Structures are given as structure tokens and as C-alpha cells.
Amino acid sequence: MILIPDVKRKSIGVFGLGLSGIATCEALAASGAKVFSYDENRAARDKTLDTEYRCEHPKDWPWQELEAVVVSPGVPLTHPKPHTIVRKARQENVPVIGDTELFARAVNALEPHERPRVIGVTGSNGKSTTTALIGHILKQAGEDVYVGGNIGEAVLSLPAFESDAVYVLELSSFQLDLTHSLRLDAAVFLNLSPDHIDRHGSVDGYLAAKRRIFMNQTAADLAVVGVDDDYGQSVSTRLMANTGTEIRLISAGSALGRGVYALDDKLYYNLDGKTAIAGDLTGARSLRGVHNFQNVAAAVAVCERFGVAPSLAIKSSQRFEGLPHRLEEVGRNGKVLFINDSKATNADATARALTAFNDIFWIAGGKAKEGGVTSLLPMMDRVRTAYLIGDASADFEKQLSDTVNVVICGDLEKAVEAANRDALKSDAKSPVVLLSPACASYDQFKNFETRGNAFREFVSTLSVGNGEAA
């Protein structure tokens, strides 16, 4: 647990009692603060009944005494409109922050020789994989590494600071919006595609939140920027003009005069004026696809700065097991391979999955996001049939039917059965049934994890084709 400095006997509100909220309450209470908590969900409130931070409605909080209100990342700050708790805090002149800001304050209170190294990763797509991969490579190199934030453990649940340890944090735009004093030894901006517009008001607002990852960096720190989209290029240009931080560019398809990049399934690096090959990327089965090559490039750029040779980083990447719901192999039925990419909740993420395979029997649909799947039409030559589920089915059929064969299945179980049957009967040598929905899950599932787990379960119960379902 991370203890928070300078909060003893001070009053702090915590709104939202998910994993990060409870961890925040625990850390603040252990640090001597007086904690006032609340959640709009009754079940979440009940979890605090036997604690020293038992829930009280915010109307009963001592607002004149509060030092801050720590809100969960999902609480809207500005769009579509500020949440009630945010409006109340602003009326009372009480700062609104997140748990990552408390982590930052705890780091900043340390003497320089006590300070651990902290790495942060953000981006519209790939940040979880990159965060986990950096942690994996550094652990393989013998470092004491703790991974958390928007992935795995809540940031304040991580072990107490050790001066020789590395903390690797996945940081969402929501978390960055609530963070002001975090300084990262290495900050990674992977990419950006239009998303979360309802929360940030515009793409510019979303980009501004992501750029906050570089806030407070010094000349001693490292900034890693993906330049495969226009947004990343603008970020790199801005950083080069306005900071003295070392900047390493990364790409998954373009040669760079300086940086780390992938071409023809190989990773190259030029960090000292000389280009060299780090290694072959095809050996990393859990990191298929061009988008994952960008993730590897980012990890190599960071880990080289932390003393890991690029060639060793590539070897470690080949031993990386990957993350659930991100191009995850979940089974095989005869010649048919089943891939769970439930985390692909927008078209840009699905595009990355579609480029990783051929002869795809594609399961898509759910709660559609702005833009639908029209951007994926150029990739339909890789798709044999699209099996549509959920609320988006009718719209996706209109967008796709002139380009690819479409079957409306309604629900995921029927889609898996149909895709499996058609893939087995096809003339494709190595067909792939790919769940990559390009949609949110909450029309039929609680979240993308639940959707991915259902897919895995349906695959496990398939009848045997020319082999055994795994």
C-alpha cells in the first residue's frame, strides 16, 4: 500500500467505491486522514459498513473542512456536464483529484535518493499491452517491478515505495484529467483515435488530456511518442519545440532517422546515430499484428533507457504471454483458430486485429460508437463473412453488405456456432474466427471482459470438427 504524506488528521472525501476508490480509502485511512466516502450504488456502500470510512451522503460531509475530494475516473468533470459531486466541490472551493494524484504527491514527498522510477503509458489503443510488456521485460532483466493503475491493481494498492523499484502505470485520459503533479521518468504516448468524445467534449479535449502524461517532465526524463497518426505527429512536434526532455519516436511501419520502428516483421532502432536490428517480431505469438509491433517498439524504447539491450527486450517479448481479450488465442477446432479480441471496442482497434490475419470469420457488433465500421471497408478482403450481434447489427449490415457477406446472428452464442460451422466448411487452410466487436459491450454484456469470457466459454463447448476444441 502507498501511504499518503501530509494528510494526517485532515478531512478528505472519496466519491466512487470501485477498486480504486476502496484502495484510496484504505490508503488515506492508513495515512491518518479522516475519510468521508460515498457511492451511488447501494452494494458498494454496504462494503464500507464495518470500516472507519463508512459511507455518509455528501450532503453530510464537512465541506468547510475538506482538503480534497478524490473521485473515481468515471466521474464526469466537464462533459456532457459536471457530475453533482464535482459541481458541489467547485462551489465549496475544494480541489477535485484522482488516486493517481495522491500517488504523485507521495512520490514527490520523497528525497531524491528515495524516489523510485515511474513509467506511464497512455494511448487510445495498446496501452494495457504496452504497460504489461514493459513490466515483463524489466522483470526478466532482474528489476523489481510493480504494474498497476488502469490495469490490474489500483495505483495506491501497489507495494510501498522502494528506491530501486520501477512502477509501471497505465494511465487513461480520465485519470490524467484528475492528475496535476505527476512526474514520470518515462512517459509513453502510443496513438490517438477519436474516442470518449462524450467525456472530453471534442477530439481536441481528448488529446489535451492524453498530452498531460508529459506534464512536469524534465531534461532528465524520457518521452516516447508514436508517430503513425497525425495526432502523434503533432504531439511530437509540440514536445520538440517546448521541452528539453529526450524524445524517442516509434513507428510500426515507417523508417525513422532516430527512434525505434518495425519494418517487414523486424524491429530496428537508432538511438545513438547508428541503425541496428533488435530482432525478429514473428516469434512473439502473443504480439501479432502491426499494432502490437508499435507496442513492442514503445517497450524497447523505454527499456533500453532503463539498461535493457534491444535484442534482449525482443527475446523477452517472445516469452510474453499477452493479456486476456486482446488478440488472445482461446481455442482451436480442427483447422479453425479462435481469437478473443473483445477489448476492441472501436473501429480503430478492430482495424488492428483485421490486419493481423487472413481468411477471417469476423464477429462484430454491440453498442456502436460514432462512425460505425465504414473505416474498415478497405480491409474486408481479409474477411470471408461478418457475423453481427447486438444493437449495431442493422447499421453494420447497411455499412458492410455491399462489400462482404453478412449474417445477422443476434447474440454471441449463435455467432460463434455459425462462424465455426462456416470456417470448418470453407476452403481456407487456416481460417480464424475473430471476435473483434468494434463496439462497446453494454447492450448485452456488463463489460468487454464478460463478453470475452462468454466467447471463450462458447468456444470450449463447440462440437469437434477436424480436431479438438481447446
Side-chain angles (χ1 to χ4, degrees), residues 400-441:
L400 296 169
S401 58
D402 289 341
T403 308
V404 69
N405 184 46
V406 172
V407 178
I408 293 184
C409 298
D411 63 48
L412 182 56
E413 184 173 15
K414 291 185 178 68
V416 171
E417 292 172 352
N420 173 63
R421 180 182 61 249
D422 293 347
L424 284 171
K425 292 179 179 178
S426 74
D427 60 1
K429 184 177 180 180
S430 302
V432 174
V433 173
L434 171 68
L435 171 67
S436 189
C439 282
S441 60

Side-chain angles (χ1 to χ4, degrees), residues 22-34:
I22 292 294
T24 299
C25 290
E26 292 282 352
L28 287 169
S31 303
K34 292 183 287 185

Side-chain angles (χ1 to χ4, degrees), residues 3 31 35 133 151 295 307 329 342-343 380 386 391 398 447 457 459-460:
L3 297 181
S31 303
V35 182
L133 180 58
I151 178 178
N295 299 335
E329 290 188 17
S342 183
K343 181 64 170 64
M380 289 303 104
D391 290 354
K398 292 177 184 177
N447 50 45
E457 180 64 25
V459 169
S460 72

Side-chain angles (χ1 to χ4, degrees), residues 325-328 330 338-342 435 452-453 455-456:
H325 315 298
R326 297 159 177 86
L327 289 185
E328 175 193 16
V330 295
F338 293 84
I339 299 292
N340 169 22
D341 194 41
S342 183
L435 171 67
N453 290 336
F455 178 72
R456 184 186 294 108

Side-chain angles (χ1 to χ4, degrees), residues 260-302:
V260 183
Y261 59 93
L263 283 177
D264 300 326
D265 297 334
K266 291 182 173 56
L267 195 77
Y268 299 82
Y269 65 98
N270 186 335
L271 301 175
D272 55 7
K274 181 181 178 181
T275 299
I277 297 177
D280 192 326
L281 295 167
T282 57
R285 288 178 55 83
S286 297
L287 295 164
R288 289 187 175 95
V290 173
H291 67 294
N292 271 320
F293 293 174
Q294 185 192 51
N295 299 335
V296 177
V300 168
V302 170

